[in-house]
Amino acid sequence: MSATSASRATVLAQIQRAAHDLGFARVGICNSSPFVRGEHALRQWLSAGHHATMDYMAEHDRGRLETVMPTAASLICVALAYPGPETASDTVAAYARGADYHQVLRERLNRLSASLTKIIGHPVHSRACVDSAPLLEREAAMRAGIAFVGKSTMAIVPDLGSHILLGELVTDVLLPTTPSARARCGRCTACLDACPTRAFPEAFVLDARRCVSYLTIEHKGPIPRDLRAAIGTRIFGCDICQQACPYNGGSRSQPGEPAFAPRRELTNTTLADILHMGSKPYRRLVARSPLARVSRNQMARNAAIALGNGGDPKSVPALANAAVGHKSPLVRSHATWALGRFTSPQAQAALEDALCDNDLSVREEARVALTTTEEC
Ligand code: SF4
Ligand code: SF4
């Protein structure tokens, strides 16, 4: 099927106008041929184990659009901007402080699909994809010319930065394409140098096993002890490599889609609240937000680390209560680790109590913390 009812240039201009009317900051179109280079890089990444526990990354043939739609002919790629981080110590990554981007993007892509039908003049088959479909979306964004992939592995729009969310509309209509983007990092290595956990074994390669975003969001079990201090006060994701990127203008915030502005529920909640939050309030806190990807105990684990790294003595009572009283051994063990960062009598007493915990991981954290404290 091809766009025969109007000239290709007119079709392209109409699609671009429809996308901009829907609030998309960028739109581009590419063909459906396989993403050979991206597929090769993905295979290497998987075979090196850099995907950690994200085995779903190996489940589909992500370089081929037929996996998403057997009749795929074109791909409309869009970018929606979100407000950048406010401070270097934000506890939640900027993209996750507002509404769930999956819902926002999918709803707009579906409206773009309806516009496409009108533009083409007959029904078209299309599928909206927002990072849940098996698709190499950054490769697609580069081919469609809306962004280039930086050494940080992030998609970057040169005059907008990397605080963008990508979405795609796969369609069976053969559409006019837009020129592809080219890499623009040059000799810059700011993101690689800024990473607190040294998660980049080389440029363009991210080892998820060391990345704060993976550890705080995808990783379900204990966080490796040697990486906890570098997590700082982050409980969901990390913006550090993006903040270092000159395309983001240093740490300057950019205006973005209002739906992604920080939610009041989040800004009114402290780390100590999260550490001890019950299931009902937690469901309310994460409802219709990207935070819902993380379970309550995982988030409490992250809050314990953040409180320990924050170093505020006022955190000790909350940590001591969690170390001895939280139902989850995962949370108790991380609260115990966090207490080891303090030298107050209350912290020491709670560590000694934790030596008698019925869970081996908690006892081990207490032993290590007390040994380290004594050595200091
Ligand atoms: S998100 Fe944070 S931890 Fe992950 S690569 Fe970037 S700077 Fe490193
Ligand atoms: S910080 Fe530099 S190297 Fe990293 S993505 Fe940005 S421009 Fe590229």
Side-chain angles (χ1 to χ4, degrees), residues 29 40-41 66 101 108 137 139 143 150 183 214 310 343 359 369:
I29 303 174
H40 177 68
E66 306 92 81
Y101 63 93
R108 290 191 198 188
E137 61 175 9
E139 292 288 324
R143 186 186 286 175
Y214 168 79
T343 52
D359 189 275

Side-chain angles (χ1 to χ4, degrees), residues 216-255:
T216 54
I217 301 171
E218 302 291 335
H219 183 69
K220 308 229 180 308
I223 290 182
R225 207 179 284 139
D226 63 324
L227 295 177
R228 291 177 196 164
I231 288 174
T233 55
R234 289 167 196 84
I235 60 166
F236 189 99
C238 167
D239 287 315
I240 292 177
C241 50
Q242 296 191 75
Q243 283 174 290
C245 182
Y247 286 103
N248 287 326
S251 61
R252 198 179 58 228
S253 288
Q254 61 168 31

Side-chain angles (χ1 to χ4, degrees), residues 148-156 162 184-194 200 203-204 240-248:
F148 72 92
V149 181
K151 290 177 187 174
S152 62
T153 74
M154 300 300 295
I156 301 171
S162 64
R184 292 183 185 218
C185 285
R187 291 163 56 201
C188 176
T189 58
C191 53
L192 313 183
D193 301 337
F200 296 108
F204 303 107
I240 292 177
C241 50
Q242 296 191 75
Q243 283 174 290
C245 182
Y247 286 103
N248 287 326

Side-chain angles (χ1 to χ4, degrees), residues 251-372:
S251 61
R252 198 179 58 228
S253 288
Q254 61 168 31
E257 185 58 38
F260 302 128
R263 295 155 61 236
R264 201 156 39 88
E265 297 91 321
L266 192 60
T267 48
N268 289 345
T269 305
T270 66
L271 291 173
D273 292 337
I274 290 173
L275 183 60
H276 290 287
M277 197 166 265
S279 50
K280 247 192 190 167
Y282 186 71
R283 277 202 299 276
R284 268 201 303 275
L285 177 71
V286 303
R288 294 180 298 284
S289 129
L291 304 184
R293 187 160 183 82
V294 170
S295 74
R296 180 167 62 102
N297 286 341
Q298 268 176 272
M299 195 68 95
R301 170 202 67 183
N302 298 346
I305 292 177
L307 286 168
N309 287 333
D312 183 348
K314 291 198 208 82
S315 307
V316 169
L319 285 169
N321 284 339
V324 296
H326 203 285
K327 280 194 182 137
S328 159
L330 180 72
V331 180
R332 292 203 303 279
S333 65
H334 285 72
T336 301
W337 173 85
L339 284 169
R341 321 263 302 162
F342 298 91
T343 52
S344 68
Q346 187 182 12
Q348 294 302 298
L351 284 173
E352 285 166 19
D353 283 350
L355 281 173
C356 303
D357 195 281
N358 59 16
D359 189 275
L360 177 62
S361 69
V362 183
R363 295 199 299 273
E364 179 60 8
E365 289 295 348
R367 185 193 65 76
V368 171
L370 285 165
T371 311
T372 312

Side-chain angles (χ1 to χ4, degrees), residues 73-266:
S74 302
L75 188 57
I76 303 177
C77 299
V78 294
L80 198 56
Y82 61 86
E86 283 167 357
T87 68
S89 57
D90 285 351
T91 55
V92 172
Y95 80 89
R97 290 179 301 167
D100 185 348
Y101 63 93
H102 297 93
Q103 291 171 7
V104 175
L105 271 155
R106 194 167 288 121
E107 188 262 331
R108 290 191 198 188
L109 284 166
N110 286 335
R111 283 162 64 192
L112 185 61
S113 173
S115 298
L116 184 62
T117 294
K118 283 191 196 142
I119 292 166
I120 299 299
H122 57 73
V124 300
H125 183 41
S126 52
R127 177 178 168 188
C129 303
V130 186
D131 94 8
S132 47
L135 181 65
L136 296 177
E137 61 175 9
R138 282 168 289 187
E139 292 288 324
M142 195 145 171
R143 186 186 286 175
I146 63 170
F148 72 92
V149 181
K151 290 177 187 174
S152 62
T153 74
M154 300 300 295
I156 301 171
V157 177
D159 54 348
L160 200 59
S162 64
H163 299 305
I164 51 161
L165 297 157
L166 297 175
E168 302 81 28
L169 197 63
V170 186
T171 174
D172 61 354
V173 191
L174 193 58
L175 296 170
T177 57
T178 43
S180 59
R182 63 174 178 83
R184 292 183 185 218
C185 285
R187 291 163 56 201
C188 176
T189 58
C191 53
L192 313 183
D193 301 337
C195 177
T197 53
R198 300 190 312 281
F200 296 108
E202 58 185 291
F204 303 107
V205 178
L206 175 69
D207 185 348
R209 294 168 298 191
R210 298 189 66 86
C211 176
V212 175
S213 287
Y214 168 79
L215 292 169
T216 54
I217 301 171
E218 302 291 335
H219 183 69
K220 308 229 180 308
I223 290 182
R225 207 179 284 139
D226 63 324
L227 295 177
R228 291 177 196 164
I231 288 174
T233 55
R234 289 167 196 84
I235 60 166
F236 189 99
C238 167
D239 287 315
I240 292 177
C241 50
Q242 296 191 75
Q243 283 174 290
C245 182
Y247 286 103
N248 287 326
S251 61
R252 198 179 58 228
S253 288
Q254 61 168 31
E257 185 58 38
F260 302 128
R263 295 155 61 236
R264 201 156 39 88
E265 297 91 321
L266 192 60

